[in-house]
Amino acid sequence: MSIEIEKKIQNLRKELQEHNYNYYVLDNPLISDFEFDIKLKELQQLEEDHPEFYDENSPTLRVGGAVTDKFNTVRHEFRMYSLDNTYNKEELEDWEKRLYKVLGEEADIEYVCELKYDGASISIRYENGVLKQAITRGDGFQGDDVTTNIKTIKSVPLKLKGNYPDKFDIRGEIILPFEGFQKMNEEKIANGEEPYANPRNTASGSLKLQDSAEVAKRPLECLLYFLAGDYLGVETQFESLEKARSWGFKVPKISAKFKTISEVLKFVNEWDTKRFELPYETDGVVIKVNSYQQQEELGYTSKAPRWAVAYKFKAEQVETILESVTYQVGRTGAITPVANLQAVQIAGTTVRRASLHNADIIDKLGVRIGDAVYVEKGGEIIPKIVGVNLEKRPKNSIELEYATHCPECGTELMRKEGEAAHYCPNEEGCAPQIVGKVEHFISRKALDIDGLGGETIELLYKNNLIHNVADLYELKAEQIIPLERMAEKSAQNIIEGVKASKKIPFEKVLYGLGIRFVGETVAKKLVKHFKTIDAIQKATYDELIEVDDIGTRIAESLIEYFEDEKHQTLLNRLQNYGLQFKLNEEDLPTLESTALEGKTFLFTGKLTLFTRNEAQIMVEKHGGTNLSGVTKKLNYLVAGEKAGSKLAKAEKLGTVEVLSEQQFLDLMN
């Protein structure tokens, strides 16, 4: 009897999963909603009566119900990069030239074009054909575990079909179709509530709802289009799309292969018009190099793949009145002029302010107070002024004069030669700089201190409790409790959060210091190379630029920072409070030998004995260092099949030793 019941449950699950696939992925339902619901209720009853046959990926769990108090932060095994944007034919052609520069003029490059969907990025892990984990993009290195919520989205397969890799990640966008968004807003308005602003933000917010049953009620869809992992069994991006479809994923049907940029531009222009016929938001076309081998050869910058770009459709542009210009002070002291506008709707949001960037941009635009200006959202996100309607210019208008003194502290502004921005040099006495530095220090990508946010930092500063980041570690609960909107619980949370931050890894502490030009990636490379803060401080200019991707500007900024006496005092205080200023040995790969110690490596061409990722891990496990390009710093270039321009460049340089894959393995042995 038990075997028969288990078999019936398994058959019902399989049947319902197939109907889900037909309905939500293929848009081809084979039974009515009523018939589907009858079968689902039958399965629910069987599972309730026989909990011994529980399956975390049963179709009955699509309705949600699990409540999440806190979304755990999880590191991506394969980093999620951003995309560089292009806006015209010339920029796209420049990108193509860069491709040929790396791959060689004789390279045979094929392009894949896909629509760029405006939603919330997601990475979903599958193991042995079963959905294991779903993580938001976050900062690209780590994101939030939203698995429970993702499982409620009907177009996301819980179990795969066909012949799939044992383990892989698949990336895509969680989107909210216009029709579903409209219905949600109709309900909001009927209940006397404020409607949602736009589909993208609503989709993104849905992923962080604590009750998965609420997520299940929302008509979200998941469009997937990129595989990440080792041994995927595919050679090209286009092949990966076809494979993913066969495994049961909802992969957008609109994609095409081209041999020339002129063909790519025809596709872009076609969809710039046809996109308005689609049931969801798109804001451009993503163009990728089709060949996986060429993708590996091209590699990545610190932020984006070199083998892909997004061609953004022309942003919506509106006309409004420039009422005034004010100036904002950033944490580095940089001054940003801000245009205060007559309120106007752009791309689903109300815009009242736009960046004017710097004095040079103001001069170029020739903008004046009272002008009718054209405003658009740069990259569909940040509003900016792109022109002036001179026909509507008031006769008595006066040219704008750029601020000469800091709007916050009155200090005379300075402008370094070769830089666009003006700066306030009053680092220790200018409130926005002080508060901004502390906000950067406590941010998620840096020390990630629980209980602290921008408003609380301002409150602590205004009450003379903090003047720099080190002061956070002297705070006491009894100092915080009397402050506005504070209570004993809030105060204790802050103290505990500050205490816990002493365990945050060195690379995040270094990034949190806010040294100019030292972003997350640079901080990681410095920490990995020098291991301790003392070693970084003592490093000479020549030693700094020896580090991969550390150039003149970063090296000079580091030296200038550490030579400043007040920064030395700050660092000494932070070290005395117990913050991490050396690389934790646990963060280092376990050394199997020192055979490659002091040697640098780069891999090129199609590798057959191991993947590029495996090769780079081997280098680190044997004491070596991986580089991202052919330079005088490179000792060994490991060349696989069809090695291109990197091999030619290494041979021309004459100082790089070229190895086969087997010679590389022999070198370690």
Side-chain angles (χ1 to χ4, degrees):
M1 185 66 177
S2 178
I3 294 172
E4 288 178 13
I5 291 170
E6 183 181 11
K7 191 174 180 180
K8 188 172 184 180
I9 288 173
Q10 287 175 344
N11 287 339
L12 269 171
R13 284 172 180 164
K14 188 175 180 180
E15 186 182 354
L16 287 168
Q17 283 164 352
E18 195 62 30
H19 286 307
N20 251 327
Y21 171 72
N22 289 329
Y23 188 99
Y24 292 102
V25 178
L26 300 182
D27 295 322
N28 182 33
L30 300 180
I31 62 172
S32 68
D33 289 351
F34 177 75
E35 289 172 298
F36 183 90
D37 288 342
I38 293 294
K39 290 178 183 292
L40 185 66
K41 285 174 182 175
E42 183 183 359
L43 177 59
Q44 283 175 322
Q45 189 60 56
L46 283 169
E47 288 180 339
E48 193 177 313
D49 294 340
H50 301 277
E52 66 270 22
F53 301 129
Y54 174 81
D55 182 346
E56 63 178 351
N57 287 312
S58 171
T60 58
L61 300 179
R62 292 278 196 187
V63 295
V67 176
T68 306
D69 292 330
K70 184 179 179 182
F71 294 95
N72 293 325
T73 300
V74 180
R75 180 166 287 276
H76 292 292
E77 184 174 345
F78 301 94
R79 180 179 165 187
M80 292 185 74
Y81 286 86
S82 302
L83 283 174
D84 287 332
N85 293 329
T86 60
Y87 295 91
N88 53 52
K89 177 185 175 184
E90 291 71 32
E91 289 178 355
L92 199 57
E93 289 172 340
D94 286 343
W95 173 66
E96 184 182 44
K97 287 174 187 174
R98 294 195 295 274
L99 297 180
Y100 280 108
K101 188 175 180 181
V102 175
L103 298 174
E105 293 300 323
E106 73 291 342
D108 182 18
I109 303 177
E110 188 173 51
Y111 304 102
V112 173
C113 290
E114 305 163 39
L115 293 184
K116 186 176 184 297
Y117 302 97
D118 199 13
S121 296
I122 196 73
S123 179
I124 310 176
R125 164 67 52 87
Y126 284 83
E127 294 180 12
N128 300 315
V130 176
L131 191 158
K132 284 296 179 185
Q133 192 172 51
I135 309 171
T136 61
R137 184 187 179 281
D139 62 5
F141 294 98
Q142 58 186 20
D144 291 327
D145 186 334
V146 291
T147 309
T148 306
N149 287 346
I150 290 299
K151 283 184 174 182
T152 68
I153 300 173
K154 308 293 194 303
S155 54
V156 176
L158 303 178
K159 291 183 179 179
L160 301 183
K161 305 148 64 78
N163 186 20
Y164 39 77
D166 292 339
K167 178 181 173 184
F168 67 95
D169 294 350
I170 188 163
R171 271 82 189 260
E173 300 286 315
I174 304 299
I175 56 110
L176 183 56
F178 292 131
E179 185 181 352
F181 177 70
Q182 188 176 340
K183 285 180 180 177
M184 288 174 66
N185 269 348
E186 286 171 359
E187 289 177 15
K188 277 271 189 183
I189 293 166
N191 293 331
E193 298 172 348
E194 191 74 22
Y196 296 109
N198 55 63
R200 188 206 173 281
N201 291 349
T202 309
S204 182
S206 299
L207 296 187
K208 300 300 288 292
L209 291 175
Q210 292 182 317
D211 187 351
S212 61
E214 287 301 312
V215 184
K217 294 175 185 175
R218 300 191 173 190
L220 299 170
E221 283 191 28
C222 183
L223 304 178
L224 297 156
Y225 45 73
F226 183 73
L227 300 179
D230 295 325
Y231 305 109
L232 297 173
V234 289
E235 298 288 332
T236 67
Q237 168 64 13
F238 202 77
E239 183 188 357
S240 76
L241 296 177
E242 293 174 333
K243 288 277 190 182
R245 284 190 193 98
S246 72
W247 300 334
F249 292 110
K250 184 158 189 172
V251 175
K253 295 174 184 175
I254 302 164
S255 60
K257 289 186 291 185
F258 300 109
K259 297 292 287 184
T260 67
I261 289 297
S262 60
E263 291 174 314
V264 168
L265 283 166
K266 283 181 184 176
F267 182 90
V268 169
N269 292 332
E270 176 189 354
W271 283 101
D272 193 7
T273 303
K274 289 171 68 175
R275 62 186 166 123
F276 298 106
E277 301 168 14
L278 294 170
Y280 27 69
E281 287 184 319
T282 57
D283 58 356
V285 171
V286 178
I287 304 121
K288 300 171 185 172
V289 171
N290 191 25
S291 164
Y292 273 10
Q293 185 207 323
Q294 289 179 338
Q295 287 183 12
E296 287 191 349
E297 188 80 10
L298 290 159
Y300 299 82
T301 66
S302 61
K303 293 181 179 177
R306 293 189 179 94
W307 44 265
V309 290
Y311 190 109
K312 301 301 286 289
F313 294 135
K314 187 169 177 57
E316 181 185 348
Q317 195 176 99
V318 298
E319 186 178 308
T320 188
I321 302 299
L322 173 62
E323 297 180 332
S324 65
V325 173
T326 51
Y327 297 85
Q328 285 184 342
V329 187
R331 64 177 174 84
T332 63
I335 305 297
T336 303
V338 177
N340 299 300
L341 308 166
Q342 202 173 83
V344 64
Q345 281 280 321
I346 310 179
T349 57
T350 302
V351 173
R352 293 184 175 86
R353 289 151 65 84
S355 173
L356 280 166
H357 301 291
N358 54 56
D360 291 344
I361 296 294
I362 289 176
D363 288 342
K364 184 179 177 181
L365 289 168
V367 69
R368 300 180 182 184
I369 306 299
D371 271 347
V373 294
Y374 301 114
V375 182
E376 66 180 39
K377 283 192 174 184
E380 300 285 352
I381 299 170
I382 304 167
K384 62 180 180 180
I385 292 176
V386 293
V388 178
N389 186 343
L390 295 175
E391 293 180 3
K392 293 185 179 180
R393 171 166 281 172
K395 291 180 180 179
N396 59 347
S397 66
I398 302 170
E399 287 186 25
L400 272 174
E401 288 188 19
Y402 202 85
T404 56
H405 290 74
C406 176
E408 298 289 340
C409 67
T411 304
E412 187 173 353
L413 301 180
M414 57 178 284
R415 190 180 189 182
K416 292 182 180 179
E417 190 176 342
E419 293 193 8
H422 286 71
Y423 288 87
C424 169
N426 186 18
E427 187 180 348
E428 290 189 298
C430 185
Q433 292 190 61
I434 295 168
V435 171
K437 282 179 172 62
V438 180
E439 286 181 349
H440 174 75
F441 185 79
I442 66 157
S443 67
R444 182 173 177 179
K445 295 180 182 180
L447 278 290
D448 194 17
I449 300 180
D450 280 345
L452 279 176
E455 288 185 10
T456 307
I457 294 300
E458 283 197 32
L459 191 65
L460 293 170
Y461 172 74
K462 286 177 181 176
N463 284 273
N464 216 28
L465 292 178
I466 59 169
H467 294 90
N468 57 48
V469 298
D471 291 340
L472 292 170
Y473 296 89
E474 292 186 354
L475 287 172
K476 294 178 176 60
E478 52 266 31
Q479 294 175 299
I480 302 171
I481 292 170
L483 302 180
E484 186 183 352
R485 300 189 308 277
M486 285 294 167
E488 190 172 341
K489 179 69 173 173
S490 304
Q492 200 54 49
N493 286 343
I494 291 172
I495 300 301
E496 291 299 322
V498 169
K499 184 180 177 182
S501 73
K502 295 178 183 181
K503 295 178 182 177
I504 294 293
F506 177 25
E507 64 191 41
K508 288 181 171 285
V509 178
L510 182 62
Y511 168 68
L513 293 175
I515 302 171
R516 208 159 174 227
F517 308 130
V518 177
E520 291 173 88
T521 303
V522 169
K524 287 174 188 289
K525 295 202 171 185
L526 287 167
V527 167
K528 191 174 181 181
H529 184 89
F530 291 105
K531 310 288 192 296
T532 69
I533 191 69
D534 290 339
I536 298 175
Q537 289 185 86
K538 290 173 184 174
T540 64
Y541 172 83
D542 289 339
E543 288 170 335
L544 287 167
I545 61 171
E546 275 297 308
V547 181
D548 190 30
D549 287 345
I550 304 297
T552 298
R553 192 171 66 162
I554 297 171
E556 289 174 349
S557 176
L558 285 161
I559 290 168
E560 184 181 340
Y561 181 89
F562 290 121
E563 282 179 347
D564 193 316
E565 208 171 293
K566 61 179 176 289
H567 294 153
Q568 287 295 329
T569 302
L570 182 75
L571 287 170
N572 288 335
R573 286 181 66 193
L574 291 174
Q575 283 178 292
N576 290 335
Y577 294 138
L579 273 76
Q580 303 298 310
F581 279 102
K582 65 179 181 180
L583 185 61
N584 192 327
E585 296 300 321
E586 293 176 4
D587 294 332
L588 290 169
T590 305
L591 276 182
E592 294 179 5
S593 80
T594 56
L596 308 183
E597 190 170 13
K599 302 297 182 184
T600 55
F601 292 81
L602 178 65
F603 298 85
T604 187
K606 183 179 180 181
L607 304 174
T608 56
L609 300 182
F610 37 70
T611 67
R612 199 163 304 228
N613 187 48
E614 287 171 338
Q616 290 171 342
I617 291 170
M618 282 190 276
V619 167
E620 293 181 3
K621 284 187 174 182
H622 291 273
T625 302
N626 293 294
L627 297 188
S628 60
V630 178
T631 68
K632 291 178 181 178
K633 304 173 189 176
L634 183 63
N635 299 127
Y636 296 103
L637 179 73
V638 181
E641 296 174 12
K642 298 180 183 177
S645 62
K646 288 178 183 174
L647 176 58
K649 189 175 179 181
E651 289 172 339
K652 185 178 179 182
L653 202 59
T655 57
V656 180
E657 187 173 345
V658 179
L659 303 176
S660 67
E661 292 176 76
Q662 188 57 54
Q663 285 173 319
F664 166 67
L665 294 174
D666 293 341
L667 197 64
M668 286 187 293
N669 293 331

